[in-house]
Amino acid sequence: KAGVTQTPRYLIKTRGQQVTLSCSPISGHRSVSWYQQTPGQGLQFLFEYFSETQRNKGNFPGRFSGRQFSNSRSEMNVSTLELGDSALYLCASSRDRVSGETQYFGPGTRLLVL
Amino acid sequence: ILNVEQSPQSLHVQEGDSTNFTCSFPSSNFYALHWYRWETAKSPEALFVMTLNGDEKKKGRISATLNTKEGYSYLYIKGSQPEDSATYLCAFYHYGGSQGNLIFGKGTKLSVKP
């Protein structure tokens, strides 16, 4: 069974640009969650999508948005990039609501904003 | 503000030593507690998902216990091996209203010397 994949793996952008990251969950998984990790911080929850609907959103500005397609693939978009957006972005998939379900992580996209 | 605390922040042990770490979380509205192992340059890997007070789970030399009434979980590694070197993360599933998400601690970084 193929794992969670994320593209691209590395990305360099400049301030003010926008970026789109992609996540393909494990086949059959309907829930996709996105997390941000910056140095010294734990994984910070961005949002969760389930069956094309955003079920929950973390405490991030509106510049961070996402969507999920009918095949459960998800994209995350960050507009008007700031230096502080430089981070590792991880997505994770699970069969259903993440509470009691094992969550499987992708390898992450490392974003550098110059 | 909900917080998940992990201690110690880092730990250096010799091969063969047994070790344990602590995860503290809010004891109210408990839903689930997740443990992950995150090796450098890899994706976080799920170890355990625990939902019941008194739960004990085991995977090889690694085991975990859960006390939801007092809000803590212990992770034990028996006879540490160099391949156990990783950051161990715990995450508390917070459920508020109709939505929930995982809140991660900052992790305990374990280094096992041969």
Side-chain angles (χ1 to χ4, degrees), chain A residues 37 55-56 98-99 101 103 106, chain B residues 32 34 36 43 99-102:
Chain A
Q37 191 194 35
R55 275 207 294 212
N56 200 3
V98 80
S99 58
E101 289 281 340
Q103 205 174 193
Chain B
H34 292 221
Y36 294 87
S43 311
Q99 301 171 336
N101 59 270
L102 284 176

Side-chain angles (χ1 to χ4, degrees), chain B residues 16-67:
Chain B
D17 288 349
S18 292
T19 186
N20 65 85
F21 344 120
T22 304
C23 171
S24 300
F25 53 86
S27 55
S28 59
N29 294 326
F30 177 83
Y31 232 76
L33 194 283
H34 292 221
W35 280 100
Y36 294 87
R37 175 171 61 197
W38 195 356
E39 295 178 67
T40 303
K42 293 189 177 180
S43 311
E45 173 198 356
L47 288 172
F48 307 114
V49 178
M50 308 175 81
T51 56
L52 298 174
N53 184 43
D55 236 355
E56 287 189 34
K57 298 225 173 179
K58 190 174 180 183
K59 188 176 182 179
R61 293 177 293 99
I62 303 176
S63 61
T65 61
L66 178 67
N67 184 322

Side-chain angles (χ1 to χ4, degrees), chain A residues 49-66:
Chain A
Y49 286 87
F50 182 83
S51 292
E52 303 179 65
T53 301
Q54 186 182 86
R55 275 207 294 212
N56 200 3
K57 191 177 193 306
N59 194 22
F60 278 81
R63 299 185 297 106
F64 291 81
S65 63

Side-chain angles (χ1 to χ4, degrees), chain B residues 1-21:
Chain B
I1 295 176
L2 294 168
N3 219 18
V4 176
E5 300 284 345
Q6 290 190 248
S7 62
Q9 269 190 326
S10 63
L11 201 50
H12 298 262
V13 301
Q14 289 293 134
E15 183 176 353
D17 288 349
S18 292
T19 186
N20 65 85
F21 344 120

Side-chain angles (χ1 to χ4, degrees), chain A:
Chain A
K1 206 175 195 181
V4 179
T5 58
Q6 291 188 246
T7 56
R9 294 292 310 279
Y10 303 94
L11 206 46
I12 300 176
K13 291 284 186 179
T14 56
R15 275 183 301 175
Q17 287 188 308
Q18 75 163 17
V19 68
T20 299
L21 313 181
S22 180
C23 172
S24 292
I26 290 172
S27 177
H29 285 193
R30 294 187 296 168
S31 170
V32 174
S33 297
W34 288 90
Y35 298 89
Q36 180 199 64
Q37 191 194 35
T38 50
Q41 296 296 317
L43 291 174
Q44 302 289 312
F45 172 74
L46 281 156
F47 23 66
E48 182 200 358
Y49 286 87
F50 182 83
S51 292
E52 303 179 65
T53 301
Q54 186 182 86
R55 275 207 294 212
N56 200 3
K57 191 177 193 306
N59 194 22
F60 278 81
R63 299 185 297 106
F64 291 81
S65 63
R67 58 178 175 168
Q68 187 179 34
F69 301 94
S70 58
N71 62 358
S72 292
R73 188 177 72 84
S74 177
E75 285 183 348
M76 186 191 113
N77 185 274
V78 188
S79 63
T80 321
L81 284 165
E82 299 177 1
L83 295 179
D85 297 333
S86 294
L88 177 67
Y89 291 89
L90 289 166
C91 80
S93 75
S94 58
R95 288 182 306 175
D96 204 325
R97 189 176 287 275
V98 80
S99 58
E101 289 281 340
T102 299
Q103 205 174 193
Y104 297 86
F105 281 86
T109 294
R110 191 165 291 281
L111 171 66
L112 177 61
V113 182
L114 301 175

